[in-house]
Amino acid sequence: MSGAPISAGPLRHRSFRWFFAAQTVNVLGTTMVSVALAFAVLEVDDSPTALGVVLAANSVPMIVFLLLGGVLADRVDRGLLLRGCNLAAFATSATVAGLVLTGTAEVWSMAVLGALNGTVAAASLPAMAGILPQLVPREELQRANVLVSMSRGGLAVVGPSLSAALVVTVGPGWALAVDAVTWLLAAVLLLAVRLPPREQEQADGVMADLRVGWTFVRGTTWLWVVVLAFSLMNAVRTGGWSTLGPVRALETVGERGWGLALSATAAGLLVATLVMLRLELRRPLLVGMLGVSLGGVPLLVLGLGDGGRTTLVLLVVTAFVAGAGTELFNLGWNLSLQEHVPADKLSRVYSYDMLGSFAAIPVGQLAFGPLGAGVGVGAVVVAAGVAYLVLALLTLLSADVRRLERAAAP
């Protein structure tokens, strides 16, 4: 890292300003909808199974169509694609809100609309990930990524609370309506985004485009090593922290302690973004993988802790550090892809990365519950912490990961 401040704020670029505004509005809606949708479904059917069906109906199409979304985002104007996706998301979200407000919503209709929204997300996520290098010069990419992360982290705190307040005061239907409006507003803001033309690679079709993307991933050692590691790490983290974490917390630090740990993680993310506005990463993957490996430490504290005050303090501190380390990885990973992957392949590469990350999450959710019941929750959480830490550090055995440096500005 360099201690010199990064010059030339990306907000001075008109298209980035409008994109940043649209992305901020988008994130606000996304962070609100998780709370609003959950209560809307439970208002229709109070079965946990019903909520699971609606959530799965959204996530499965997103995973299935991610690679096609990457191909599409590399073929067409990404700004135009994002505007279209936002309008489509507005239509589906507004329909769900209307059904809930009129009392005509059913689980099947919400699942169908959720599936449509998940399909839209499969196209918009790779486009969103690949657009930043078209909006700012290479030397400003780090600060642009940090600003985007900062808005996302801040709204991750505000959005759920705002949504919960709306659910309590006026009902989940109106909270979903606000979410729908954010998609429409984001589409309008994106009208001001103008992207420079980019060279298009000639291909024979969708399968040929997918092969080109896969060939690049397979032939780039640092890329496939990290993606492979995270396909395992995300399953471990989701199972150990998200699935068994609350159960173990009830045995040790309690609900309040668990809430403090989650808040500390979010605080660590935000503090890291502020720090990275002033420091420049030179070895993005070395720093990133060392940082993200710290995510295993809170699992160790939670699994080994006896529930005393020391356990709570250690859990909060290590969760804060882990949050900061996660943000270091996010920044380092985005910079590595944005600077070292050709622009015409960037969205496809991101889609392969996302597929590896998202596909593993249900594995952890489904497998760790029975493991905890059979072996013991504390023991499995400790094993998850060790596995996460080891998997992250193993990537550094690759010289390509350790030595990757920032690309020079063209």
Side-chain angles (χ1 to χ4, degrees):
M1 293 189 194
S2 168
I6 303 170
S7 60
L11 287 172
R12 66 187 177 86
H13 300 285
R14 182 177 182 273
S15 286
F16 177 79
R17 287 199 305 272
W18 286 105
F19 168 79
F20 180 72
Q23 198 266 350
T24 300
V25 171
N26 255 340
V27 172
L28 176 62
T30 301
T31 56
M32 288 179 62
V33 76
S34 59
V35 175
L37 183 62
F39 285 104
V41 174
L42 294 174
E43 193 175 79
V44 175
D45 186 332
D46 61 2
S47 165
T49 301
L51 180 57
V53 167
V54 173
L55 294 177
N58 177 269
S59 60
V60 170
M62 181 179 67
I63 292 171
V64 169
F65 294 113
L66 259 176
L67 295 182
L68 293 178
V71 170
L72 184 62
D74 278 337
R75 283 191 171 195
V76 304
D77 183 289
R78 291 181 180 123
L80 178 63
L81 178 59
L82 286 175
R83 289 194 291 273
C85 287
N86 281 346
L87 289 174
F90 162 70
T92 57
S93 300
T95 303
V96 172
L99 291 174
V100 173
L101 287 170
T102 57
T104 57
E106 297 184 37
V107 171
W108 72 265
S109 60
M110 299 175 82
V112 169
L113 289 164
L116 293 174
N117 217 2
T119 304
V120 171
S124 64
L125 288 175
M128 185 79 73
I131 200 172
L132 273 187
Q134 295 180 266
L135 296 174
V136 297
R138 178 167 290 179
E139 62 270 17
E140 297 181 24
L141 267 177
Q142 177 173 326
R143 199 164 190 182
N145 277 285
V146 170
L147 288 172
V148 170
S149 293
M150 189 181 299
S151 74
R152 184 168 56 242
L155 291 172
V157 177
V158 175
S161 299
L162 176 59
S163 183
L166 287 172
V167 168
V168 170
T169 55
V170 294
W174 287 108
L176 289 170
V178 172
D179 168 58
V181 171
T182 64
W183 290 107
L184 180 61
L185 179 57
V188 172
L189 292 170
L190 285 170
L191 288 172
V193 174
R194 295 289 182 267
L195 300 180
R198 53 194 172 100
E199 294 183 6
Q200 296 293 327
E201 181 183 273
Q202 296 300 315
D204 296 328
V206 171
M207 294 307 299
D209 279 355
L210 287 174
R211 282 195 298 271
V212 168
W214 173 246
T215 299
F216 185 88
V217 172
R218 187 182 60 187
T220 309
T221 302
W222 60 264
L223 208 164
W224 68 256
V225 165
V226 174
V227 171
L228 177 60
F230 267 88
S231 69
L232 301 173
M233 289 167 62
N234 282 343
V236 169
R237 175 76 176 177
T238 300
W241 186 255
S242 302
T243 303
L244 294 183
V247 179
R248 180 59 179 168
L250 288 176
E251 301 173 351
T252 54
V253 297
E255 295 95 327
R256 178 176 172 272
W258 182 243
L260 288 172
L262 296 180
S263 297
T265 303
L269 287 163
L270 283 174
V271 169
T273 59
L274 292 172
V275 171
M276 295 315 299
L277 281 172
R278 304 292 299 176
L279 298 177
E280 186 175 6
L281 283 178
R282 294 311 312 163
R283 295 278 183 95
L285 290 187
L286 174 61
V287 174
M289 293 312 301
L290 287 173
V292 81
S293 71
L294 298 173
V297 181
L299 285 164
L300 295 175
V301 172
L302 185 62
L304 295 171
D306 58 7
R309 181 175 178 80
T310 301
T311 300
L312 177 59
V313 171
L314 285 174
L315 182 62
V316 170
V317 171
T318 55
F320 175 88
V321 174
T326 298
E327 182 54 34
L328 281 179
F329 170 77
N330 291 336
L331 176 59
W333 183 241
N334 284 325
L335 288 172
S336 299
L337 292 178
Q338 291 165 4
E339 294 183 350
H340 292 280
V341 177
D344 62 318
K345 299 181 179 69
L346 184 55
S347 289
R348 273 171 288 176
V349 170
Y350 262 116
S351 69
Y352 278 107
D353 168 39
M354 293 173 184
L355 180 63
S357 299
F358 295 160
I361 290 175
V363 175
Q365 291 171 327
L366 294 172
F368 273 65
L371 277 174
V375 180
V377 173
V380 176
V381 171
V382 170
V386 173
Y388 192 87
L389 183 64
V390 170
L391 285 167
L393 295 178
L394 279 176
T395 63
L396 298 179
L397 294 177
S398 167
D400 292 71
V401 174
R402 293 195 312 273
R403 297 173 183 170
L404 186 76
E405 295 187 356
R406 297 285 301 280

